[in-house]
Amino acid sequence: IATGDSIMRSDTVAVGTADVTVTRLSDWLFFVDSESTVTRGGPLLNGASRRVGTLAKVRTLDIRPPAALTTVNGLRLGGSSVVVGQDSIPPAWGTGYCDPSDLTDKPGVLIDDMRNIRTSGTRYDVSGRPPYDADPSLNSDALLTFGDLGWSDLVALANKRIPSGASITQTSPDSTLTSDGYVCRTSQLLNWGDTENPGGVCGNYFPVVYAEGDLGIQSNKSGQGILLVEGDLKLTGGYTFYGPVIVKGTLSTTGTGGHVHGGLIAANVDLDTSTVLGNALVQYSSCGITRALLNNSRLTFAVPLEERSWVDLTNVGN
């Protein structure tokens, strides 16, 4: 809706009608004029109406990790792990889904204090612009704030909830045949989109997945969306995830490790050390992040202003 323009929607239910007009006042501010009329209920109720005006603003979550791997308090790097801050497009998606001109390199590792980084061996590799960067203002609270919303706001928008302590061995796209053709079965708990077939029925499905506690993923499969972990996250078996991964606790990878194409934030709220070992890969990808945000309508929504958001317009003329 252009600024100053309006749209109107009408609906009829068993006991009445509703007419709602939405007018855009600015980029983020809207006025909602809603009137409902009773059409049933006898002579005392039939024709009764109420009209209310509400000021609402659009809120959107800003989930854009500032580096390939962002953490505070402690980080251990070793094995054959790789952390890459150079922005990239996942090969399976290509330029048909992401614009190469939008790529912007980020630091490989961003941490509150460089002295909190420990390394083991010489086979690990960290690159980016710069490979390592420090921001003393970083803390767990800052890493769990997304625009004007916090961790609990983001959790409330989750499409899927994984029980605490779960161990996942595979995620895979799932579809069903309807009269309109195949459609993605988004109700399936372990359907985390189709990373290898972006043009498929689940190719644009990027759920918000919330693990209620610790989560282990031991799989060579893949998923996409936004992954939120209330506890600790352990990745093994080469599992690949496309999109932002935000861990309220600590991250650990061992053996074949896991792969993240997007960005990874480990808030370390318990002041433990995030460990990236084995053949783990954390690759910054603005393409993976942007597709996860744009393809999830739950991340942009309207809410009434906090104070004096509504007014009774019942006796006001049109």
Side-chain angles (χ1 to χ4, degrees), residues 9-29:
R9 294 290 184 267
S10 298
D11 194 16
T12 300
V13 294
V15 295
T17 62
D19 297 305
V20 180
T21 301
V22 179
T23 302
R24 187 171 205 148
L25 304 179
S26 67
D27 285 347
W28 301 101
L29 192 63

Side-chain angles (χ1 to χ4, degrees), residues 14 34 36 48 74 128 147-148 166 174 194-195 200 215 269 294 296 301 314 317-318:
S34 176
S36 294
D148 58 351
D174 192 6
D194 192 344
T195 63
L215 175 65
V269 292
L294 293 181
N296 198 314
F301 49 93
T314 304
N318 291 318

Side-chain angles (χ1 to χ4, degrees), residues 44-68:
L44 293 179
L45 294 178
N46 189 34
S49 66
R50 183 74 178 271
R51 182 181 172 200
V52 173
T54 304
L55 279 171
K57 66 177 180 179
V58 171
R59 303 181 77 176
T60 185
L61 288 163
D62 184 10
I63 314 174
R64 297 184 182 275

Side-chain angles (χ1 to χ4, degrees), residues 109-182:
V109 170
L110 179 62
I111 198 167
D112 57 332
D113 191 329
M114 296 289 286
R115 293 172 294 182
N116 290 334
I117 299 176
R118 292 185 297 145
T119 60
S120 60
T122 59
R123 293 184 297 163
Y124 68 90
D125 183 53
V126 177
S127 62
R129 186 175 294 181
Y132 298 90
D133 200 6
D135 181 353
S137 68
L138 282 182
N139 55 47
S140 298
D141 289 339
L143 294 184
L144 297 176
T145 302
F146 315 97
D148 58 351
L149 301 182
W151 173 259
S152 59
D153 299 305
L154 184 53
V155 168
L157 301 175
N159 303 89
K160 303 178 186 294
R161 301 179 77 94
I162 308 296
S164 178
S167 180
I168 293 176
T169 57
Q170 115 172 358
T171 62
S172 60
D174 192 6
S175 60
T176 186
L177 182 61
T178 70
S179 58
D180 296 322
Y182 282 96

Side-chain angles (χ1 to χ4, degrees), residues 259-290:
H259 300 165
V260 174
H261 290 267
L264 196 152
I265 295 174
N268 272 333
V269 292
D270 294 324
L271 306 185
D272 290 331
T273 297
S274 289
T275 304
V276 183
L277 297 171
N279 297 319
L281 169 67
V282 181
Q283 167 73 62
Y284 182 79
S285 174
S286 62
C287 175
I289 297 167
T290 299

Side-chain angles (χ1 to χ4, degrees), residues 296-310:
N296 198 314
S297 60
R298 296 172 68 89
L299 302 182
T300 299
F301 49 93
V303 294
L305 298 186
E306 293 181 1
E307 296 183 6
R308 300 181 181 180
S309 63
W310 71 276

Side-chain angles (χ1 to χ4, degrees), residues 16 22 33 72 81 103 146 162 186-187 206 232 265-266 269 274 281:
V22 179
D33 186 337
V72 294
S81 58
L103 300 183
F146 315 97
I162 308 296
T186 59
S187 61
F206 287 78
D232 300 334
I265 295 174
V269 292
S274 289
L281 169 67

